[in-house]
Amino acid sequence: MKARKTIKCGVVFLTKHKQNLLDQEYDNFQHFLQTGEDLGVYSAHKQQARRFYKKIKKSREYPISIRNDLLKIEKRPTKIVKYWARIPVKGQYGGVWVAIKPHEDFPDLSTCKICESKLYRKNGKFYLNVTVEKEVNIELPKEKEKIAMISIDIGERNPITYTVYAGGRILDVGFEGREIRSIRWHYLQRRREIGKKKVKHALRVIKKIGHKERNKVRDILHKATSKIVRMAENLRKKGYTPIIVIGDIKHVRKPREKGKPRNRKLNRMIHSMPSYQVKHMLQYKALWREIPVMLINEAHTSQLCWRCGALGRVNKRRFFCPECGLDYNRDLNGSRNILKRSLGYMLGDWAVVNQPVSPPLNSSQLRVQSAGGEATDLNRW
């Protein structure tokens, strides 16, 4: 199996000659896309443009796609940088060697393959997104005792709710990315204020705000998913075979049905759920480290009691089971149910994994915050 990863690099310490060569190549490439007139563009870049860019929008810049056989990355530790890249340009035989500063170190280039990469310019500075590929070998555990799972429930209030299971017991539970809700609410109010005050060039201002919101949310999700993968790596160091299990949300965004009223608030909550981003980030980060990722159908996981399997009642963020008296956080309950289903698929014995992991407790024995509805006793059984 092949795994890919993109390493973002800044092109730094350019001389005037190299800056002019890159600017000329980039500007001529944009002119070629908009008009079809060739003012001097490297031939391979034109071929890639015809291959990828079928529809061109005006007033928009497109990155230069560099073929893998033309881009070369070398590690040359110097006083300024460790890595250098050769970028092909028109009129310069052999291309231009430029210093690059990646956001993380490149893997061993002798075992990885450089794939097609992108060169783009932003605020007068050039950036190079290098895609690397390597072979990975993923094996599922054969022994029950060696299974370690991190089950993840994706939601709107709590984007990532995780449960860590290893050695037949729950090691940890928690939440990640909870500040995303406040960020989105803040920018929603900003957009409403702009619309009410009839700001000049309002669409341009709203678009700029949307970019800030997107970048902040993406940064939080990157940090949260990286933490989940590090937890799986720590379990591997302890002798377990980790598996990341994600509750797969299917058909949550239903199209509008004619004649039925719509709830604007509910629609905004559903469409702001970062389900695809979380799944995509976890899959490529875990696959790169040879950690398998499973997608489990999460239908009714928030409505069934994880301890006894009975149908419970949900009140905002609280779940209450009338059978065993479980009073628990709704998202944590969904994460525990996803864990039970994944264990059932892995072990092939629902009769075993459907039993309560802990003895039944009364609601008075569970310490729960009355204000926020989040369980303070995380029950590290």
Side-chain angles (χ1 to χ4, degrees):
M1 183 181 295
K2 294 182 180 180
R4 285 192 175 188
K5 184 179 183 180
T6 300
I7 299 179
K8 298 182 179 180
C9 310
V11 181
V12 295
F13 303 111
L14 285 174
T15 62
K16 289 185 178 180
H17 177 63
K18 293 180 179 180
Q19 181 76 40
N20 292 334
L21 286 175
L22 291 180
D23 282 333
Q24 183 179 0
E25 181 73 20
Y26 194 82
D27 292 335
N28 292 344
F29 180 76
Q30 304 303 324
H31 182 79
F32 172 76
L33 291 177
Q34 297 293 340
T35 64
E37 181 183 2
D38 185 6
L39 298 179
V41 183
Y42 194 72
S43 58
H45 297 164
K46 291 188 292 184
Q47 294 174 1
Q48 294 295 90
R50 296 189 185 99
R51 178 184 174 189
F52 289 109
Y53 304 131
K54 304 298 182 182
K55 294 182 179 180
I56 305 299
K57 296 182 179 180
K58 293 183 179 181
S59 69
R60 178 179 174 182
E61 291 187 350
Y62 293 84
I64 298 177
S65 179
I66 306 176
R67 285 200 330 236
N68 57 346
D69 58 329
L70 299 176
L71 179 66
K72 189 173 183 180
I73 307 292
E74 288 187 0
K75 185 177 181 180
R76 294 190 234 153
T78 60
K79 292 182 179 179
I80 54 176
V81 291
K82 290 197 298 183
Y83 298 98
W84 294 75
R86 185 185 67 185
I87 300 175
V89 295
K90 182 75 172 180
Q92 182 72 25
Y93 180 76
V96 181
W97 282 97
V98 296
I100 57 175
K101 189 175 182 180
H103 78 280
E104 64 177 60
D105 287 340
F106 280 89
D108 188 3
L109 297 177
S110 60
T111 59
C112 295
K113 175 185 175 184
I114 301 294
C115 301
E116 192 169 332
S117 304
K118 305 289 185 181
L119 176 71
Y120 64 97
R121 184 176 61 187
K122 185 177 181 181
N123 298 329
K125 296 182 180 180
F126 283 96
Y127 299 90
L128 183 67
N129 290 350
V130 183
T131 304
V132 293
E133 182 182 79
K134 72 174 183 179
E135 288 284 342
V136 295
N137 183 23
I138 295 180
E139 296 182 358
L140 295 178
K142 298 180 180 179
E143 302 178 7
K144 297 180 181 179
E145 295 77 13
K146 296 297 182 181
I147 294 179
M149 287 189 172
I150 302 177
S151 61
I152 295 174
D153 178 77
I154 302 174
E156 185 269 336
R157 183 181 291 268
N158 299 311
I160 298 178
T161 305
Y162 66 86
T163 301
V164 183
Y165 167 89
R169 63 193 185 96
I170 302 299
L171 299 183
D172 194 10
V173 295
F175 307 95
E176 291 294 333
R178 305 179 74 174
E179 57 270 33
I180 290 178
R181 181 181 175 88
S182 60
I183 291 174
R184 283 188 164 149
W185 178 254
H186 167 73
Y187 283 102
L188 175 63
Q189 297 301 318
R190 292 279 306 276
R191 286 190 289 268
R192 286 177 175 174
E193 292 174 1
I194 292 171
K196 289 180 180 179
K197 294 181 180 180
K198 298 181 180 179
V199 178
K200 188 177 180 181
H201 305 297
L203 290 178
R204 190 184 306 170
V205 177
I206 289 175
K207 186 176 181 181
K208 186 177 180 180
I209 289 176
H211 290 166
K212 291 183 179 179
E213 177 186 2
R214 179 195 62 192
N215 293 337
K216 288 184 178 181
V217 170
R218 188 177 296 173
D219 178 67
I220 294 172
L221 291 179
H222 270 297
K223 292 178 180 178
T225 52
S226 297
K227 180 180 177 180
I228 298 295
V229 175
R230 285 197 301 269
M231 292 167 58
E233 288 184 313
N234 292 334
L235 290 172
R236 176 185 286 169
K237 293 178 182 178
K238 294 180 181 179
Y240 298 103
T241 303
I243 302 174
I244 298 177
V245 185
I246 307 174
D248 191 15
I249 303 176
K250 290 185 177 181
H251 310 297
V252 66
R253 299 179 180 177
K254 296 181 180 180
R256 181 191 177 190
E257 297 182 14
K258 188 175 181 180
K260 288 190 176 182
R262 294 184 297 177
N263 188 324
R264 292 180 61 185
K265 183 178 179 180
L266 181 61
N267 284 349
R268 185 174 66 249
M269 291 171 57
I270 292 176
H271 286 270
S272 64
M273 289 176 60
S275 56
Y276 176 79
Q277 291 189 63
V278 171
K279 288 190 291 186
H280 174 70
M281 291 179 181
L282 281 175
Q283 284 177 332
Y284 85 81
K285 290 180 181 181
L287 185 62
W288 184 264
R289 293 167 177 81
E290 300 185 352
I291 299 173
V293 177
M294 293 176 56
L295 297 179
I296 298 295
N297 183 14
E298 67 161 21
H300 311 296
T301 52
S302 298
Q303 303 172 13
L304 300 177
C305 177
W306 67 265
R307 196 158 60 191
C308 67
L311 183 65
R313 298 195 303 269
V314 177
N315 182 15
K316 294 184 179 180
R317 311 313 304 172
R318 299 278 291 278
F319 174 86
F320 176 75
C321 179
E323 298 294 331
C324 65
L326 176 67
D327 195 349
Y328 209 48
N329 179 274
R330 175 183 178 181
D331 296 326
L332 284 176
N333 181 66
S335 177
R336 298 293 294 268
N337 278 322
I338 292 172
L339 174 64
K340 287 176 59 178
R341 290 187 183 180
S342 59
L343 284 173
Y345 294 141
M346 290 298 300
L347 304 180
D349 189 358
W350 274 88
V352 174
V353 300
N354 202 32
Q355 298 299 321
V357 179
S358 63
L361 300 176
N362 297 327
S363 58
S364 59
Q365 295 176 272
L366 290 171
R367 290 178 291 167
V368 180
Q369 290 183 351
S370 59
E374 310 295 346
T376 56
D377 183 9
L378 298 181
N379 302 322
R380 291 178 170 84
W381 298 303

